[in-house]
Amino acid sequence: MYYLRLARGYRTLDLARGLLTATAAAVVAAFLLRALGRALQGTGGNLERLLWCLPPLAAVAWFAAAAARAVPAQHPERITGLTAAGAGPARIRLLVAGETALACALGSAFTLLLFLILRNDIAGPSLAPDIGMGVPLPAAAPVALLAVLPLVAGVSAACAVRFPERLPGRPAEPARSRYGALRLLLPAPVLLAGLGLELYGLRPDATDAERTVTLPAGLPATSPALLTGWALAGLALALWTGPLLALAGRLLALHRPAPLRLLAGRGLTAQARGLGAPLAVLTSIVVLMLVAWRSWAGTGTAAPALTLVEGALVLACAVAALAARLYELRAARRPALDALDRLGTPPGLLTGTATLRTLTASTVLLLTGGLTVLLCPLV
């Protein structure tokens, strides 16, 4: 009944969030059911196909976490009502997680229904191996497989809701814009280790026999040292995204800044902790897609259709998660924007501030993403 009342009061953003969650869940469910169908046919490679479902599953969980974290900022009156009714943090987490899990369950149920319809001698010969046509389907297999998706998304959503600062009437924790010394220094040894492994893999006496790691989707084989080294280097650069955003914001506000630079620099510094993770994830996904496209273009290999669908799903979830985080940060800045508006701040100044902040963040992402692409040894 609670979720039915919520659905009756949904706004456009709520409908878009629920529709995207259900659509992403339906696509991931299709990947899982395809792995099940191939397993029923006994074609081999079952573990590889299940592992291939992990990236879209992680992308849906990431979007679910970002969307759930933005719910208190998007509907403060809902959190206020639940708090006044006696709901504590644990109950509110369960309600938000249940809303996300329900949307995932609806998308998975739609895919399962389509899967069962196609198995009723409707699918053509090209699709028959993917759905296990002609092989008895255990009743518990698809249900158990698809139950993982709402469970993972629900747990991610429950863990992402922030307390106590997001609950009205509770003491707010002071916002931290500075990074600790450990957080700033930790990526350095990771980057050095990654560069060392890449240099070892690219040494003059290295042979093609060392390239024992066969990559999927038609990508060339590589050595464990090269792949691990590039992964560590990319991880270090991703970890530095937030600190670099904060540093760029401080540089903008240096040396007697004008109001435009002052507002842009202070705003970027304050939002660096919130923007660092979603921007780093989005940049990493774009880098992987660019590396794969460069490899396919260099070897003349056609991109697999399933890989393109999976890449599009992961990219869409990353963009949606970034949009949810931007909405959350804008809601947190609303009191400051209202104060500036009451002081008579020209609208052009606020627009210019947002533009300068966006250009500065884009420069940081070009730096980290470009270095990650340049360090890639796969092609």
Side-chain angles (χ1 to χ4, degrees):
M1 183 61 69
Y2 171 77
Y3 297 114
L4 184 60
R5 290 177 180 269
L6 281 184
R8 291 179 59 188
Y10 269 2
R11 304 169 188 169
T12 304
L13 286 177
D14 299 308
L15 291 174
R17 172 170 55 88
L19 182 60
L20 181 57
T21 303
T23 303
V27 177
V28 177
F31 282 116
L32 291 172
L33 290 176
R34 177 182 178 271
L36 176 61
R38 288 282 184 172
L40 292 176
Q41 290 285 346
T43 55
N46 301 328
L47 180 60
E48 180 183 352
R49 276 188 289 271
L50 281 178
L51 292 178
W52 196 241
C53 299
L54 290 181
L57 181 62
V60 172
W62 173 250
F63 169 65
R69 176 171 168 153
V71 167
Q74 186 176 350
H75 295 286
E77 71 285 350
R78 183 190 303 176
I79 306 301
T80 303
L82 289 173
T83 306
R91 186 173 180 82
I92 294 178
R93 279 196 178 100
L94 289 177
L95 291 174
V96 175
E99 184 180 359
T100 303
L102 182 59
C104 291
L106 290 176
S108 301
F110 174 79
T111 303
L112 179 59
L113 178 62
L114 184 62
F115 178 78
L116 296 177
I117 291 175
L118 290 176
R119 280 179 57 87
N120 194 18
D121 297 331
I122 295 179
S126 60
L127 194 60
D130 293 330
I131 61 176
M133 183 177 291
V135 182
L137 178 66
V143 176
L145 197 61
L146 296 184
V148 175
L149 185 56
L151 179 62
V152 171
V155 171
S156 301
C159 295
V161 180
R162 303 292 300 275
F163 294 104
E165 63 270 24
R166 292 299 177 189
L167 280 179
R170 294 180 179 267
E173 295 181 358
R176 295 182 301 170
S177 58
R178 292 181 177 271
Y179 287 89
L182 180 62
R183 177 66 175 78
L184 293 174
L185 297 178
L186 179 61
V190 177
L191 178 61
L192 292 178
L195 293 178
L197 285 175
E198 286 199 46
L199 291 177
Y200 173 77
L202 295 174
R203 66 189 187 279
D205 58 341
T207 61
D208 291 338
E210 298 180 3
R211 297 178 176 267
T212 57
V213 180
T214 303
L215 299 177
L219 296 175
T222 184
S223 66
L226 288 176
L227 186 60
T228 306
W230 185 56
L232 290 177
L235 176 62
L237 291 172
L239 290 175
W240 262 329
T241 300
L244 287 177
L245 288 174
L247 177 62
R250 294 186 182 278
L251 292 177
L252 275 179
L254 281 181
H255 193 60
R256 296 180 182 178
L260 179 65
R261 287 199 298 121
L262 178 63
L263 290 176
R266 294 289 178 85
L268 186 59
T269 302
Q271 296 175 358
R273 298 185 69 91
L275 284 176
L279 285 178
V281 171
L282 179 60
T283 305
S284 301
I285 293 171
V286 173
V287 165
L288 289 175
M289 297 179 72
L290 288 176
V291 168
W293 174 80
R294 189 175 67 174
S295 175
W296 291 328
T299 59
T301 306
L306 290 176
T307 304
L308 294 179
V309 173
E310 182 172 339
L313 173 64
V314 172
L315 182 62
C317 289
V319 172
L322 177 60
R325 183 61 58 86
L326 288 174
Y327 186 91
E328 177 191 355
L329 294 176
R330 180 174 177 81
R333 287 173 30 241
R334 191 170 296 140
L337 294 177
D338 293 341
L340 290 174
D341 186 60
R342 288 194 301 268
L343 292 174
T345 305
L349 178 60
L350 298 179
T351 304
T353 299
T355 303
L356 182 58
R357 209 163 48 233
T358 303
L359 291 176
T360 307
S362 301
T363 304
V364 172
L365 296 183
L366 283 176
L367 174 64
T368 57
L371 286 177
T372 307
V373 173
L374 288 177
L375 292 175
C376 178
L378 299 183
V379 291

